[in-house]
Amino acid sequence: MKRLEVLKTYKLYIGGQFPRTESGRYYSPTGADGQSLGNICQSSRKDFRNAVVAAKGALGGWASRAAFNRSQILYRIGEMLEGRSAQFVDELIKQGSTEADARQEVEDSVDRCVYYAGWCDKYQQVFSAVNPVSSSHFNFSIYEPVGIVAAIAPEEKPLLGLLGTVLPIIVGGNSCVVLASGNSPLSAITLAEVLATSDLPGGVINILTGFREELLPFMVSHMEVNAFVASDLSAEHLKTAKEESIHNLKRIIHHKENIADCESPYPILSTQEVKTTWHPIESSISGGGKY
Amino acid sequence: MSDPNEWNYAPAPEAAKQARISDRYAHFINGKWADPKEGEYFQSTNPATGEKLSEVALGTKRDVNAAVKAARNAYDNVWSGMSPRERGKYIYRIARLIQERAREFAIIETLDGGKPIRESRDIDVPLAANHFFYYAGWADKLDYAFPNRKVSSLGVAGQVIPWNFPLLMAAWKIAPALATGNTVVLKPAETTSLTAMKLAEIIADSGLPDGVVNIVTGMGETGALVVNHDDVNKVAFTGSTSVGKRIQKSIAGTDKKITLELGGKAANIILEDAAIDQAVEGIVNGIYFNQGHVCCAGSRLFVQESVYDEVLWKLKRRMDTLIVGDPLDKNTDVGAINSKEQLETIQRYLKAGVDNGAEMYQPACDLPASGNWCPPTVFTNVAQSSIIAQEEIFGPVLAVQTFRTVPEAIEKANNTPYGLSAGIWCDKGARLFQISNQLEAGVVWGNTYNQFDPTSPFGGYKESGFGREGGLHGLAAYLDM
């Protein structure tokens, strides 16, 4: 007799845990063959708010880690992903990719982790500045994380697009809540299993599934969220995002480039603040300072 | 011998004759003076005397349309195609012309805005010239600013600036916009249009092609017309957080790139090991500079409890020596409040502070009979929940709170929706930088305050706005990248 396959229940990823949506709701996107992909959590406003609480809890610890340590953790995500490539290829195919595209997307995803791992301790060096002010001061500008970032992963390339969206956010010490591709959510949840085993502290990346129409207004109006990132919003959604952002002047970042195909340090900078510090330099030490 | 306590400074007024102010200023559009299409003008007065200085065109829709059209035309046909080096040379010329006429500009800035001549002469005007000089040099070096990025100009920049540093804010806005190849429509604040119009004279003298910089004067409605004009590609605003939010909302459905430089409620933190005399100078400079009309003013003072009595005693003694009065007098420390409306706003906050149970101290000073005046003010016993500890007053009003431990100071300092600037006074570098790292502020002054430089990026965290002005980072706001 043929063995009965054990099917996975797809859940959310909040604070390093895998809860179901508090709302008890689900939706059933269909794959390429018209078959249901399963009962996927339809996250609610409350789920989003819970995820923000988790992200806030994780922020301080993540932001204050050594850049080198963040780099190692991102590399570790790549290692874990590589080891589970076959599973991701299967899921991408199930969601509608060709086998060749699925394989390519998974390989690119692993490489994207390695790429951004390397930036963790380099972007600061490349983009910070020591400013030659005219007065006798030491003056420098460095990058700091903007804080908690809400993000919507692109619909297409559900694995690579999500990684391309969130990796630059966490490279710079932010924590985030990301909404997965609505039609192709499986790889996002499986990615959560990778993250949970990658030394990434719980809460740094939180993953929700559901409908962007429903969640977007909450993501852009939440007072504890400092920035919002997306790359494939409709004009109407982008307008809503900018309008609702004014409550706490959230930074709205809508990447122009297809984020799945973008390898660049500039997305890292888009969720950073520039802090400039001044300190006096003693202007002349008695005698001998000048000749 | 007379009592030294009775010694006073002899008046040392700057002669105002040097400054040429026309009876009336039209808009500056397409390289020419353009009378307002609806024919209306409004007065610009001297806030120290209430006397009329000049009258200024009231910009309406047709004026703004003409200005944006001129800017678009100049962008398409001249400026965006000009070699970057030549572009830079025009900007250098503007810097030089400001330096040559610096004294005149300083006098007019003081007459029109009420700030002490010492500040307009030593800070506003030289810094404005330096901003043009600094950004001029970037024009032909943009390829080096953002590694591996192809950058290009945006188009027409609509810029709206405040009344606290009228010429300097115009320079902060215009210089980077031009260096990056954009053209400009600038709307100065209604109480302080004059130095912008003097800058228009310089721009005309510099030979800058017609329409590259256009200046339209008017009220808030005129500014709204500028930022909401369909043919504007970039919006740059400095002003209040509430107006900034309104602008962000009004342009939400467009592709306009935006930078907002908004309000602040900066913490100035005095630790027990600070050099107290220097810190007191820093407190005074932090809050009474430019009558406190400064978005990054150190308006919340946090003093460690162990040195509270000493700091407050010395601060009050120092406040007693501040000279409040004629802004044109070179000895004056605190000038006139910029407008009657702003004075009324400040007075409402003073009343609210007292009503909230805080203790108010103002030194005895002889305020002139006419004009808008507010003595330097310090509030002690201020509750964190008090309106004077929460809201931006934009006047010479300091709210003092205390703390015991460094984490407490950091938590209190960050407990505000604003995040523009902060100050730390501490003898220990290790501690100072540890605190600096934890403050949510775009500019942190350690053992100094209110320092500005064209090479130094300025701008806020949180509700103090987004984007940076100044330095290499200030270029990004004006580039498509």
Side-chain angles (χ1 to χ4, degrees), chain B residues 287-311:
Chain B
I287 185 61
Y288 303 124
F289 171 61
N290 199 25
Q291 297 75 246
H293 302 326
V294 184
C295 47
C296 52
S299 51
R300 290 184 300 152
L301 180 67
F302 292 98
V303 186
Q304 197 151 20
E305 277 184 5
S306 46
V307 290
Y308 176 79
D309 290 340
E310 182 187 358
V311 168

PDB file of all heavy atoms in Angstrom, chain B residues 287-311:
ATOM      1  N   ILE B 287      19.669  77.732  23.244  1.00  0.00           N
ATOM      2  CA  ILE B 287      18.253  78.111  23.263  1.00  0.00           C
ATOM      3  C   ILE B 287      18.034  79.593  22.944  1.00  0.00           C
ATOM      4  O   ILE B 287      16.982  79.957  22.401  1.00  0.00           O
ATOM      5  CB  ILE B 287      17.585  77.733  24.608  1.00  0.00           C
ATOM      6  CG1 ILE B 287      16.072  78.032  24.571  1.00  0.00           C
ATOM      7  CG2 ILE B 287      18.235  78.403  25.804  1.00  0.00           C
ATOM      8  CD1 ILE B 287      15.295  77.286  23.538  1.00  0.00           C
ATOM      9  N   TYR B 288      19.008  80.460  23.235  1.00  0.00           N
ATOM     10  CA  TYR B 288      18.743  81.883  23.003  1.00  0.00           C
ATOM     11  C   TYR B 288      19.323  82.389  21.685  1.00  0.00           C
ATOM     12  O   TYR B 288      19.071  83.534  21.294  1.00  0.00           O
ATOM     13  CB  TYR B 288      19.208  82.714  24.200  1.00  0.00           C
ATOM     14  CG  TYR B 288      18.529  82.239  25.476  1.00  0.00           C
ATOM     15  CD1 TYR B 288      19.251  81.835  26.587  1.00  0.00           C
ATOM     16  CD2 TYR B 288      17.134  82.143  25.513  1.00  0.00           C
ATOM     17  CE1 TYR B 288      18.614  81.353  27.723  1.00  0.00           C
ATOM     18  CE2 TYR B 288      16.496  81.666  26.649  1.00  0.00           C
ATOM     19  CZ  TYR B 288      17.237  81.272  27.745  1.00  0.00           C
ATOM     20  OH  TYR B 288      16.597  80.785  28.854  1.00  0.00           O
ATOM     21  N   PHE B 289      20.095  81.560  20.999  1.00  0.00           N
ATOM     22  CA  PHE B 289      20.574  81.891  19.656  1.00  0.00           C
ATOM     23  C   PHE B 289      19.362  82.152  18.755  1.00  0.00           C
ATOM     24  O   PHE B 289      18.420  81.359  18.710  1.00  0.00           O
ATOM     25  CB  PHE B 289      21.392  80.692  19.137  1.00  0.00           C
ATOM     26  CG  PHE B 289      21.789  80.766  17.683  1.00  0.00           C
ATOM     27  CD1 PHE B 289      22.584  81.799  17.206  1.00  0.00           C
ATOM     28  CD2 PHE B 289      21.385  79.772  16.798  1.00  0.00           C
ATOM     29  CE1 PHE B 289      22.962  81.832  15.869  1.00  0.00           C
ATOM     30  CE2 PHE B 289      21.755  79.804  15.466  1.00  0.00           C
ATOM     31  CZ  PHE B 289      22.540  80.844  15.001  1.00  0.00           C
ATOM     32  N   ASN B 290      19.390  83.287  18.060  1.00  0.00           N
ATOM     33  CA  ASN B 290      18.296  83.647  17.152  1.00  0.00           C
ATOM     34  C   ASN B 290      16.931  83.635  17.858  1.00  0.00           C
ATOM     35  O   ASN B 290      15.935  83.192  17.302  1.00  0.00           O
ATOM     36  CB  ASN B 290      18.293  82.720  15.935  1.00  0.00           C
ATOM     37  CG  ASN B 290      17.513  83.298  14.760  1.00  0.00           C
ATOM     38  OD1 ASN B 290      17.378  84.514  14.653  1.00  0.00           O
ATOM     39  ND2 ASN B 290      16.979  82.445  13.920  1.00  0.00           N
ATOM     40  N   GLN B 291      16.918  84.110  19.107  1.00  0.00           N
ATOM     41  CA  GLN B 291      15.676  84.209  19.906  1.00  0.00           C
ATOM     42  C   GLN B 291      14.985  82.845  20.053  1.00  0.00           C
ATOM     43  O   GLN B 291      13.772  82.776  20.271  1.00  0.00           O
ATOM     44  CB  GLN B 291      14.682  85.206  19.299  1.00  0.00           C
ATOM     45  CG  GLN B 291      15.161  86.636  19.242  1.00  0.00           C
ATOM     46  CD  GLN B 291      16.168  86.830  18.145  1.00  0.00           C
ATOM     47  OE1 GLN B 291      17.328  87.114  18.424  1.00  0.00           O
ATOM     48  NE2 GLN B 291      15.750  86.643  16.918  1.00  0.00           N
ATOM     49  N   GLY B 292      15.746  81.765  19.859  1.00  0.00           N
ATOM     50  CA  GLY B 292      15.127  80.436  19.952  1.00  0.00           C
ATOM     51  C   GLY B 292      14.302  80.079  18.732  1.00  0.00           C
ATOM     52  O   GLY B 292      13.658  79.036  18.711  1.00  0.00           O
ATOM     53  N   HIS B 293      14.352  80.913  17.703  1.00  0.00           N
ATOM     54  CA  HIS B 293      13.663  80.586  16.453  1.00  0.00           C
ATOM     55  C   HIS B 293      14.549  79.636  15.654  1.00  0.00           C
ATOM     56  O   HIS B 293      15.045  79.971  14.567  1.00  0.00           O
ATOM     57  CB  HIS B 293      13.420  81.827  15.589  1.00  0.00           C
ATOM     58  CG  HIS B 293      12.637  82.923  16.233  1.00  0.00           C
ATOM     59  ND1 HIS B 293      11.634  82.699  17.133  1.00  0.00           N
ATOM     60  CD2 HIS B 293      12.682  84.267  16.072  1.00  0.00           C
ATOM     61  CE1 HIS B 293      11.116  83.870  17.501  1.00  0.00           C
ATOM     62  NE2 HIS B 293      11.741  84.826  16.878  1.00  0.00           N
ATOM     63  N   VAL B 294      14.769  78.460  16.196  1.00  0.00           N
ATOM     64  CA  VAL B 294      15.707  77.536  15.586  1.00  0.00           C
ATOM     65  C   VAL B 294      15.118  76.138  15.732  1.00  0.00           C
ATOM     66  O   VAL B 294      14.787  75.728  16.847  1.00  0.00           O
ATOM     67  CB  VAL B 294      17.090  77.584  16.279  1.00  0.00           C
ATOM     68  CG1 VAL B 294      18.083  76.692  15.569  1.00  0.00           C
ATOM     69  CG2 VAL B 294      17.619  79.011  16.353  1.00  0.00           C
ATOM     70  N   CYS B 295      14.972  75.430  14.630  1.00  0.00           N
ATOM     71  CA  CYS B 295      14.339  74.113  14.714  1.00  0.00           C
ATOM     72  C   CYS B 295      15.166  73.149  15.561  1.00  0.00           C
ATOM     73  O   CYS B 295      14.630  72.246  16.177  1.00  0.00           O
ATOM     74  CB  CYS B 295      14.094  73.544  13.322  1.00  0.00           C
ATOM     75  SG  CYS B 295      15.511  73.671  12.240  1.00  0.00           S
ATOM     76  N   CYS B 296      16.492  73.379  15.599  1.00  0.00           N
ATOM     77  CA  CYS B 296      17.345  72.467  16.364  1.00  0.00           C
ATOM     78  C   CYS B 296      17.697  73.059  17.728  1.00  0.00           C
ATOM     79  O   CYS B 296      18.620  72.591  18.392  1.00  0.00           O
ATOM     80  CB  CYS B 296      18.610  72.141  15.580  1.00  0.00           C
ATOM     81  SG  CYS B 296      19.498  73.588  15.000  1.00  0.00           S
ATOM     82  N   ALA B 297      16.974  74.089  18.165  1.00  0.00           N
ATOM     83  CA  ALA B 297      17.264  74.729  19.451  1.00  0.00           C
ATOM     84  C   ALA B 297      17.264  73.705  20.586  1.00  0.00           C
ATOM     85  O   ALA B 297      16.459  72.781  20.609  1.00  0.00           O
ATOM     86  CB  ALA B 297      16.221  75.812  19.742  1.00  0.00           C
ATOM     87  N   GLY B 298      18.171  73.891  21.521  1.00  0.00           N
ATOM     88  CA  GLY B 298      18.229  72.998  22.686  1.00  0.00           C
ATOM     89  C   GLY B 298      17.192  73.438  23.700  1.00  0.00           C
ATOM     90  O   GLY B 298      17.515  74.008  24.737  1.00  0.00           O
ATOM     91  N   SER B 299      15.926  73.142  23.402  1.00  0.00           N
ATOM     92  CA  SER B 299      14.830  73.721  24.184  1.00  0.00           C
ATOM     93  C   SER B 299      14.465  72.894  25.411  1.00  0.00           C
ATOM     94  O   SER B 299      13.729  73.350  26.261  1.00  0.00           O
ATOM     95  CB  SER B 299      13.597  73.898  23.289  1.00  0.00           C
ATOM     96  OG  SER B 299      13.294  72.696  22.613  1.00  0.00           O
ATOM     97  N   ARG B 300      14.972  71.652  25.469  1.00  0.00           N
ATOM     98  CA  ARG B 300      14.772  70.854  26.693  1.00  0.00           C
ATOM     99  C   ARG B 300      16.137  70.646  27.323  1.00  0.00           C
ATOM    100  O   ARG B 300      17.015  70.022  26.734  1.00  0.00           O
ATOM    101  CB  ARG B 300      14.156  69.492  26.353  1.00  0.00           C
ATOM    102  CG  ARG B 300      12.699  69.556  25.900  1.00  0.00           C
ATOM    103  CD  ARG B 300      12.155  68.155  25.678  1.00  0.00           C
ATOM    104  NE  ARG B 300      12.924  67.447  24.659  1.00  0.00           N
ATOM    105  CZ  ARG B 300      13.055  66.124  24.619  1.00  0.00           C
ATOM    106  NH1 ARG B 300      12.492  65.356  25.533  1.00  0.00           N
ATOM    107  NH2 ARG B 300      13.753  65.561  23.650  1.00  0.00           N
ATOM    108  N   LEU B 301      16.296  71.161  28.525  1.00  0.00           N
ATOM    109  CA  LEU B 301      17.572  70.984  29.220  1.00  0.00           C
ATOM    110  C   LEU B 301      17.438  69.872  30.251  1.00  0.00           C
ATOM    111  O   LEU B 301      16.522  69.904  31.070  1.00  0.00           O
ATOM    112  CB  LEU B 301      17.973  72.293  29.903  1.00  0.00           C
ATOM    113  CG  LEU B 301      19.292  72.253  30.667  1.00  0.00           C
ATOM    114  CD1 LEU B 301      20.463  72.085  29.712  1.00  0.00           C
ATOM    115  CD2 LEU B 301      19.466  73.524  31.501  1.00  0.00           C
ATOM    116  N   PHE B 302      18.339  68.904  30.173  1.00  0.00           N
ATOM    117  CA  PHE B 302      18.359  67.823  31.162  1.00  0.00           C
ATOM    118  C   PHE B 302      19.652  67.929  31.956  1.00  0.00           C
ATOM    119  O   PHE B 302      20.742  67.820  31.399  1.00  0.00           O
ATOM    120  CB  PHE B 302      18.274  66.461  30.466  1.00  0.00           C
ATOM    121  CG  PHE B 302      16.946  66.224  29.807  1.00  0.00           C
ATOM    122  CD1 PHE B 302      16.772  66.453  28.453  1.00  0.00           C
ATOM    123  CD2 PHE B 302      15.856  65.801  30.541  1.00  0.00           C
ATOM    124  CE1 PHE B 302      15.536  66.252  27.848  1.00  0.00           C
ATOM    125  CE2 PHE B 302      14.614  65.597  29.958  1.00  0.00           C
ATOM    126  CZ  PHE B 302      14.457  65.824  28.608  1.00  0.00           C
ATOM    127  N   VAL B 303      19.512  68.157  33.262  1.00  0.00           N
ATOM    128  CA  VAL B 303      20.682  68.349  34.112  1.00  0.00           C
ATOM    129  C   VAL B 303      20.748  67.221  35.138  1.00  0.00           C
ATOM    130  O   VAL B 303      19.738  66.904  35.780  1.00  0.00           O
ATOM    131  CB  VAL B 303      20.607  69.707  34.855  1.00  0.00           C
ATOM    132  CG1 VAL B 303      21.902  69.967  35.613  1.00  0.00           C
ATOM    133  CG2 VAL B 303      20.316  70.841  33.889  1.00  0.00           C
ATOM    134  N   GLN B 304      21.938  66.646  35.279  1.00  0.00           N
ATOM    135  CA  GLN B 304      22.090  65.597  36.286  1.00  0.00           C
ATOM    136  C   GLN B 304      21.906  66.217  37.683  1.00  0.00           C
ATOM    137  O   GLN B 304      22.404  67.322  37.953  1.00  0.00           O
ATOM    138  CB  GLN B 304      23.475  64.945  36.153  1.00  0.00           C
ATOM    139  CG  GLN B 304      23.556  63.609  36.864  1.00  0.00           C
ATOM    140  CD  GLN B 304      24.552  62.657  36.227  1.00  0.00           C
ATOM    141  OE1 GLN B 304      25.440  63.058  35.490  1.00  0.00           O
ATOM    142  NE2 GLN B 304      24.410  61.368  36.510  1.00  0.00           N
ATOM    143  N   GLU B 305      21.178  65.515  38.497  1.00  0.00           N
ATOM    144  CA  GLU B 305      20.739  66.114  39.770  1.00  0.00           C
ATOM    145  C   GLU B 305      21.875  66.669  40.620  1.00  0.00           C
ATOM    146  O   GLU B 305      21.745  67.716  41.240  1.00  0.00           O
ATOM    147  CB  GLU B 305      19.949  65.077  40.588  1.00  0.00           C
ATOM    148  CG  GLU B 305      18.506  64.984  40.164  1.00  0.00           C
ATOM    149  CD  GLU B 305      17.712  64.023  41.040  1.00  0.00           C
ATOM    150  OE1 GLU B 305      18.264  63.494  42.046  1.00  0.00           O
ATOM    151  OE2 GLU B 305      16.546  63.797  40.718  1.00  0.00           O
ATOM    152  N   SER B 306      23.016  65.973  40.613  1.00  0.00           N
ATOM    153  CA  SER B 306      24.125  66.370  41.482  1.00  0.00           C
ATOM    154  C   SER B 306      24.696  67.744  41.136  1.00  0.00           C
ATOM    155  O   SER B 306      25.334  68.383  41.966  1.00  0.00           O
ATOM    156  CB  SER B 306      25.235  65.317  41.406  1.00  0.00           C
ATOM    157  OG  SER B 306      25.470  64.985  40.059  1.00  0.00           O
ATOM    158  N   VAL B 307      24.484  68.206  39.908  1.00  0.00           N
ATOM    159  CA  VAL B 307      25.014  69.529  39.553  1.00  0.00           C
ATOM    160  C   VAL B 307      23.889  70.515  39.223  1.00  0.00           C
ATOM    161  O   VAL B 307      24.133  71.604  38.716  1.00  0.00           O
ATOM    162  CB  VAL B 307      26.002  69.465  38.365  1.00  0.00           C
ATOM    163  CG1 VAL B 307      27.300  68.786  38.775  1.00  0.00           C
ATOM    164  CG2 VAL B 307      25.391  68.761  37.158  1.00  0.00           C
ATOM    165  N   TYR B 308      22.672  70.122  39.536  1.00  0.00           N
ATOM    166  CA  TYR B 308      21.525  70.948  39.150  1.00  0.00           C
ATOM    167  C   TYR B 308      21.607  72.364  39.734  1.00  0.00           C
ATOM    168  O   TYR B 308      21.477  73.354  39.014  1.00  0.00           O
ATOM    169  CB  TYR B 308      20.231  70.262  39.590  1.00  0.00           C
ATOM    170  CG  TYR B 308      19.001  71.083  39.322  1.00  0.00           C
ATOM    171  CD1 TYR B 308      18.445  71.145  38.045  1.00  0.00           C
ATOM    172  CD2 TYR B 308      18.380  71.809  40.343  1.00  0.00           C
ATOM    173  CE1 TYR B 308      17.317  71.909  37.797  1.00  0.00           C
ATOM    174  CE2 TYR B 308      17.257  72.568  40.106  1.00  0.00           C
ATOM    175  CZ  TYR B 308      16.730  72.617  38.831  1.00  0.00           C
ATOM    176  OH  TYR B 308      15.624  73.370  38.575  1.00  0.00           O
ATOM    177  N   ASP B 309      21.880  72.450  41.043  1.00  0.00           N
ATOM    178  CA  ASP B 309      21.872  73.774  41.681  1.00  0.00           C
ATOM    179  C   ASP B 309      22.937  74.681  41.074  1.00  0.00           C
ATOM    180  O   ASP B 309      22.696  75.847  40.792  1.00  0.00           O
ATOM    181  CB  ASP B 309      22.109  73.637  43.200  1.00  0.00           C
ATOM    182  CG  ASP B 309      20.903  73.002  43.888  1.00  0.00           C
ATOM    183  OD1 ASP B 309      19.808  73.036  43.286  1.00  0.00           O
ATOM    184  OD2 ASP B 309      21.071  72.470  45.005  1.00  0.00           O
ATOM    185  N   GLU B 310      24.109  74.101  40.871  1.00  0.00           N
ATOM    186  CA  GLU B 310      25.207  74.896  40.315  1.00  0.00           C
ATOM    187  C   GLU B 310      24.879  75.365  38.894  1.00  0.00           C
ATOM    188  O   GLU B 310      25.058  76.532  38.536  1.00  0.00           O
ATOM    189  CB  GLU B 310      26.498  74.052  40.295  1.00  0.00           C
ATOM    190  CG  GLU B 310      27.688  74.833  39.775  1.00  0.00           C
ATOM    191  CD  GLU B 310      28.937  73.967  39.589  1.00  0.00           C
ATOM    192  OE1 GLU B 310      28.891  72.760  39.900  1.00  0.00           O
ATOM    193  OE2 GLU B 310      29.948  74.523  39.102  1.00  0.00           O
ATOM    194  N   VAL B 311      24.371  74.435  38.073  1.00  0.00           N
ATOM    195  CA  VAL B 311      24.065  74.784  36.681  1.00  0.00           C
ATOM    196  C   VAL B 311      22.993  75.873  36.631  1.00  0.00           C
ATOM    197  O   VAL B 311      23.130  76.862  35.908  1.00  0.00           O
ATOM    198  CB  VAL B 311      23.613  73.534  35.894  1.00  0.00           C
ATOM    199  CG1 VAL B 311      23.017  73.929  34.539  1.00  0.00           C
ATOM    200  CG2 VAL B 311      24.780  72.579  35.699  1.00  0.00           C
TER     201      VAL B 311
END
